[in-house]
Amino acid sequence: REELWALFHEMSGDRGEAIESYGRAVSLDPGRSDYLQELATLFALSRQWDDAAVWMERYIQTEPDAVSSSWELLGEYLRAGDREAEAEAAFEQALGLEPYSYLARLRLAEVFEGRGAFDAAIELLEFLSVYAVDRDAEIYTRLAYLYTQVGEVSQAQRVLDKGRRIFPTDTNIY
């Protein structure tokens, strides 16, 4: 019954009531991990990052099938809540489970870049420039920027040349 009310409130756009109904549903049926995930999503949509992180952590404890992407989401929630160190740990956990995770590498590179750890960020983005070659032109411009920050202009030029071949219509690369 609570699940139906939660779905009704969610469809009606009343996230607050949907959260309340899912909360009651969790207490009535604690074995349903999908309620935990729904609560995390609803809190994230409401920009209540700390609550979203709490519910995502509870969801991860149920050991879902897509556990790497759950860690990535947790990292996103923690980062949005200005909890960089915890976000870093979540992204590293995601990479430990899925070494080719695009999102975890990209976001972890952003964390390192923000901290001034340019070499660590470069390593993560170089990996993406090899294994996610044509995914996003911004990888190449950010990587070039990082290389210029550490004084390796020739490496920045190499990265931009590669990016231009892959994304010839992206004006930022030029």
Side-chain angles (χ1 to χ4, degrees):
R1 181 173 146 225
E2 290 301 331
E3 179 180 8
L4 292 175
W5 277 114
L7 291 170
F8 170 75
H9 291 303
E10 194 174 352
M11 296 286 198
S12 301
D14 189 350
R15 288 188 192 130
E17 284 298 321
I19 288 170
E20 292 295 323
S21 293
Y22 275 125
R24 287 189 293 273
V26 166
S27 64
L28 292 170
D29 190 359
R32 292 276 306 266
S33 63
D34 56 327
Y35 294 156
L36 305 174
Q37 187 178 29
E38 284 294 328
L39 281 163
T41 301
L42 287 169
F43 277 117
L45 290 171
S46 300
R47 298 187 176 278
Q48 297 176 38
W49 304 116
D50 290 335
D51 291 324
V54 166
W55 288 103
M56 184 52 70
E57 286 172 340
R58 285 188 61 186
Y59 176 69
I60 289 170
Q61 290 172 354
T62 67
E63 299 178 4
D65 289 336
V67 71
S68 175
S69 62
S70 299
W71 280 103
E72 291 168 355
L73 275 174
L74 177 60
E76 294 279 355
Y77 298 160
L78 292 167
R79 194 152 179 248
D82 293 323
R83 295 163 58 185
E84 294 287 323
E86 293 170 88
E88 178 183 340
F91 292 133
E92 287 175 348
Q93 182 69 28
L95 281 176
L97 295 166
E98 177 50 59
Y100 292 92
S101 168
Y102 174 83
L103 185 62
R105 282 186 183 277
L106 183 66
R107 296 297 187 243
L108 192 54
E110 290 172 358
V111 169
F112 288 149
E113 182 180 347
R115 201 170 51 211
F118 297 135
D119 290 333
I122 286 170
E123 182 180 335
L124 291 163
L125 292 178
E126 277 289 353
F127 184 94
L128 293 179
S129 76
V130 172
Y131 292 102
V133 177
D134 59 351
R135 183 125 183 214
D136 186 3
E138 186 184 351
I139 291 171
Y140 299 93
T141 55
R142 285 185 54 216
L143 192 50
Y145 166 78
L146 291 170
Y147 274 125
T148 60
Q149 293 300 302
V150 296
E152 295 186 33
V153 178
S154 62
Q155 290 294 344
Q157 190 60 53
R158 174 190 61 82
V159 167
L160 290 174
D161 289 343
K162 180 179 179 182
R164 277 194 292 272
R165 285 193 312 271
I166 299 167
F167 300 99
T169 60
D170 188 283
T171 58
N172 292 327
I173 289 181
Y174 292 94

